[in-house]
């Protein structure tokens, strides 16, 4: 029994369009399931990582593709996925998105009632002036893509069969509005409504799916009504309880056959939950020749277990804190090291904590930001498997070597995605480097540095 508890797949050839694709978290997940994917990503640094990883990529602005190039997308795309930039909604951000939730909800209803692109764009322009951050309104793009598909003649006005969205917990109420809209039905060109069935919107813990990191993401899974009702993936592991750090861990045998206090319910008769995966398991014993010496502890800005003297500390026998764009600042301490001279997590180690393969080809600038912004591939795999009724792949596959494309394949990927050969750089459809040097619509949480902007120009 897998976390998806898969029935027979209902799509013969799933082909996923990944909006705001970043360095490839959902695409790696799709790869593990044997699902083809195409990612659209604005940030050139993230695109360089994707190219070297062999992921089909368009270096482009998601909004511009919908507006100007939608009919250039492969007509076979039948799964729409995405995680719009979350910084304006996250508690770590400045909160503009949270303050504008009511206005964004009104725009969702306007889209469902058939407002034109021109009307929506005019309202978005006013909202961007109000919030001071254009990323706030990008949360509407998945819905606009789903509606756009219904008027695309190249697709035969065919809707996406499946929609999968993820965001920070603060967007849960917005995803619920999405749910209501999709169940009411998208406005078709012939006056009919295209209705979806949507699983209950919920916030999931990534460590409950084998990710060695405590991270929460709010998930929406929708299917065309004809495909039946989807459901969220069932947990496979215990969640980490900061108020009882040992409960559900690898050394807590008494709870091995029971759900953790904070775990999602598990139906009677299903496979018992496994212990959550610790940092030491993936960075130590199982991380290859570059493994980190255990025991160790990581000091961050978070509290652990409610114990003041342990504030901001987790040990190698626990999951990591949430991996963010500032992960390289976390101090790694060993018993034989001075606390005043800690080590730092490498980009490779941060990627492993996100469940990327250990040799994933992180490239170009802002690599900490790339890693921190990504969807953990193992978690994404469980979500996609549940959405598509596919069996999940083994966790161990995410710790295997990644297949890197040949140089010839790399060139083809760049040309296919809008970038020209390496000697020439970006093509006419790529975002301009000077635009990317400000606030990126990928998932950049801060203005790009001069070095980063220079890299984007290559």
């Amino acid at each position: 029994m897998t976390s998806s508890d898969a029935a027979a797949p209902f799509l013969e050839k799933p082909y996923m369009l990944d909006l705001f694709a970043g360095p490839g978290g959902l695409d790696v997940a799709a790869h593990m399931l044997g699902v083809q994917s195409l990612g659209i990503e604005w940030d050139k640094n993230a695109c360089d990582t994707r190219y070297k990883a062999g992921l089909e990529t368009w270096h482009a602005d998601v909004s511009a593709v919908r507006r100007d190039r939608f009919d250039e997308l492969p007509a076979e795309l039948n799964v729409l996925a995405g995680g719009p930039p979350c910084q304006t909604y996250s508690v770590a951000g400045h909160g503009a998105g949270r303050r504008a939730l009511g206005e964004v909800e009104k725009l969702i209803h306007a889209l469902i009632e058939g407002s034109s692109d021109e009307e929506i764009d005019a309202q978005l322009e006013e909202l961007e002036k109000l919030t001071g951050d254009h990323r706030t309104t990008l949360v509407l793009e998945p819905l606009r893509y789903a509606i756009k598909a219904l008027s695309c003649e190249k697709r035969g006005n065919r809707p996406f069969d499946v929609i999968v969205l993820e965001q920070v917990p603060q967007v849960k109420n917005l995803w619920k509005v999405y749910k209501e809209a999709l169940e009411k039905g998208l406005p078709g060109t012939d006056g009919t409504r295209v209705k979806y069935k949507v699983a209950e919107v919920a916030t999931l813990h990534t460590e409950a799916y084998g990710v060695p990191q405590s991270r929460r993401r709010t998930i929406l899974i929708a299917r065309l009504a004809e495909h039946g009702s989807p459901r969220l993936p069932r947990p496979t592991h215990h969640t980490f309880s900061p108020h009882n750090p040992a409960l559900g861990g690898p050394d807590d045998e008494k709870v091995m056959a029971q759900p953790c206090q904070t775990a999602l319910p598990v139906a009677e008769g299903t496979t018992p939950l496994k212990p959550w995966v610790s940092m030491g398991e993936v960075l130590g014993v199982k991380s290859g020749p570059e493994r980190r010496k255990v025991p160790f502890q990581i000091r961050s800005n978070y509290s652990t277990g409610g114990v003041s003297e342990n504030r901001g500390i987790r040990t190698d026998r626990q999951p990591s804190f949430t991996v963010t764009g500032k992960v390289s600042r976390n101090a790694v301490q060993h018993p034989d090291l001075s606390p005043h001279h800690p080590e730092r997590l490498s980009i490779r180690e941060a990627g492993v904590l996100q469940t990327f393969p250990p040799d994933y080809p992180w490239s170009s600038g802002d690599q900490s930001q790339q890693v921190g912004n990504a969807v953990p591939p193992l978690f994404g795999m469980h979500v996609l498997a549940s959405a598509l009724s596919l069996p999940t792949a083994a966790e161990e596959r995410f710790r295997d070597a990644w297949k890197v494309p040949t140089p010839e394949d790399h060139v083809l990927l760049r040309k296919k995605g809008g970038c020209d050969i390496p000697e020439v750089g970006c093509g006419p459809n790529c975002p301009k480097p000077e635009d990317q040097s400000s606030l990126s619509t990928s998932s950049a949480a801060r203005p790009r540095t001069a070095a980063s902007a220079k890299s984007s120009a290559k």
Side-chain angles (χ1 to χ4, degrees):
M1 184 89 57
T2 68
S3 72
S4 62
D5 195 24
F10 54 89
L11 293 180
E12 184 177 351
K13 292 183 179 181
Y15 190 178
M16 181 181 75
L17 176 61
D18 185 8
L19 307 180
F20 313 102
L26 274 180
D27 301 83
V28 171
H31 171 83
M32 296 297 182
L33 295 172
V35 172
Q36 186 178 359
S37 69
L38 164 63
I40 302 176
E41 174 54 40
W42 162 290
D43 181 46
K44 184 59 165 58
N45 293 320
C47 284
D48 283 342
T49 294
R50 295 177 59 86
Y51 294 141
K52 290 191 176 180
L55 301 176
E56 188 177 355
T57 302
W58 279 21
H59 178 210
D61 181 342
V62 165
S63 300
V65 170
R66 171 187 51 78
R67 184 177 58 248
D68 305 324
R69 302 175 61 198
F70 192 92
D71 60 356
E72 296 179 27
L73 292 167
E76 299 79 16
L77 288 164
N78 51 17
V79 179
L80 178 65
C86 66
Q87 283 72 27
T88 68
Y89 297 98
S90 170
V91 293
H94 56 70
R98 298 194 301 278
R99 293 190 295 271
L101 280 173
E103 296 302 316
V104 176
E105 289 180 11
K106 292 178 183 177
L107 288 171
I108 291 175
H109 291 298
L111 282 166
I112 290 300
E113 294 305 320
S115 293
S116 68
D117 280 343
E118 292 74 18
E119 292 172 322
I120 296 297
D121 288 341
Q123 295 180 63
L124 286 177
E125 186 175 348
E126 292 301 314
L127 183 56
E128 287 177 11
K129 291 178 182 177
L130 175 68
T131 63
D133 195 327
H134 68 279
R135 294 175 298 178
T136 298
T137 62
L138 292 174
V139 74
L140 293 174
E141 283 298 338
L143 183 59
R144 300 187 78 176
Y145 266 72
I147 294 173
K148 185 83 170 184
L150 304 180
S151 60
C152 179
E153 294 183 1
K154 178 182 176 181
R155 294 176 54 89
N157 302 331
R158 180 173 51 83
F160 288 100
D161 292 272
V162 175
I163 299 174
V164 178
L165 305 177
E166 60 87 25
Q167 251 283 9
V168 294
Q170 290 71 28
V171 182
K172 185 173 183 178
N173 286 339
L174 202 57
W175 275 177
K176 288 183 176 180
V177 178
Y178 252 80
K179 180 178 187 294
E180 294 172 5
L182 290 169
E183 290 176 337
K184 180 178 181 180
L186 307 183
T189 54
D190 59 356
T192 61
R193 288 194 173 272
V194 178
K195 296 185 178 182
Y196 287 80
K197 292 188 175 181
V198 187
E200 191 63 36
V201 174
T203 300
L204 307 182
H205 295 252
T206 60
E207 74 271 22
Y209 301 90
V211 178
Q213 171 196 174
S214 57
R215 187 186 194 105
R216 296 187 304 148
R217 303 302 285 183
T218 297
I219 301 300
L220 180 147
I221 299 176
R223 293 178 185 168
L224 279 178
E226 64 193 66
H227 298 312
S229 299
R231 59 184 171 189
L232 295 169
R234 291 175 176 168
T236 54
H237 295 66
H238 289 283
T239 54
F240 175 76
S241 173
H243 301 294
N244 193 343
L247 183 61
D251 300 316
D252 192 1
E253 297 180 1
K254 64 183 178 181
V255 296
M256 285 302 93
Q258 303 175 18
C260 183
Q261 290 178 347
T262 56
L264 294 173
V266 177
E268 185 177 341
T270 58
T271 305
L273 297 178
K274 302 175 186 178
W276 36 252
V277 179
S278 69
M279 291 186 284
E281 289 181 75
V282 296
L283 298 184
V285 177
K286 297 183 179 179
S287 62
E290 301 176 35
R291 67 189 182 207
R292 180 169 288 280
K293 183 180 178 180
V294 294
F296 65 83
Q297 64 183 25
I298 292 184
R299 182 179 293 274
S300 185
N301 295 321
Y302 301 85
S303 62
T304 298
V307 181
S308 59
E309 57 266 31
N310 284 345
R311 186 167 183 80
I313 295 177
R314 288 197 186 174
T315 74
D316 61 276
R317 306 183 87 163
Q318 297 171 339
S320 164
F321 295 106
T322 300
V323 174
T324 71
K326 299 179 180 179
V327 64
S328 59
R329 300 183 187 183
N330 290 349
V332 185
Q333 299 173 330
H334 295 272
D336 55 350
L337 287 177
S338 166
H340 302 294
H341 297 88
E343 296 179 350
R344 303 291 174 182
L345 284 174
S346 68
I347 294 300
R348 184 194 71 83
E349 288 177 315
V352 168
L353 291 176
Q354 280 276 59
T355 64
F356 281 88
D359 60 344
Y360 199 69
W362 302 103
S363 304
S364 295
D366 286 348
Q367 291 184 18
S368 289
Q369 201 68 47
Q370 289 185 49
V371 176
N373 291 336
V375 178
L378 178 56
F379 175 68
M381 184 267 291
H382 282 283
V383 172
L384 288 177
S386 188
L388 298 171
S389 291
L390 294 174
T392 54
E395 290 177 26
E396 291 72 19
R397 287 191 58 192
F398 291 83
R399 302 174 194 172
D400 292 339
W402 182 256
K403 179 183 179 297
V404 178
T406 64
E408 292 78 13
D409 290 335
H410 186 182
V411 171
L412 290 174
L413 284 165
R414 290 175 66 94
K415 293 182 71 174
K416 188 172 184 179
C419 291
D420 295 322
I421 58 176
E423 291 78 8
V424 177
C426 290
N429 290 317
C430 296
K432 297 178 181 179
E434 57 267 29
D435 294 334
Q436 296 177 74
S437 63
S438 58
L439 287 174
S440 170
T441 62
S442 65
S443 298
R446 62 182 187 275
R448 309 288 296 286
T449 64
S452 176
K454 184 176 180 181
S455 174
S456 292
K458 292 181 180 180

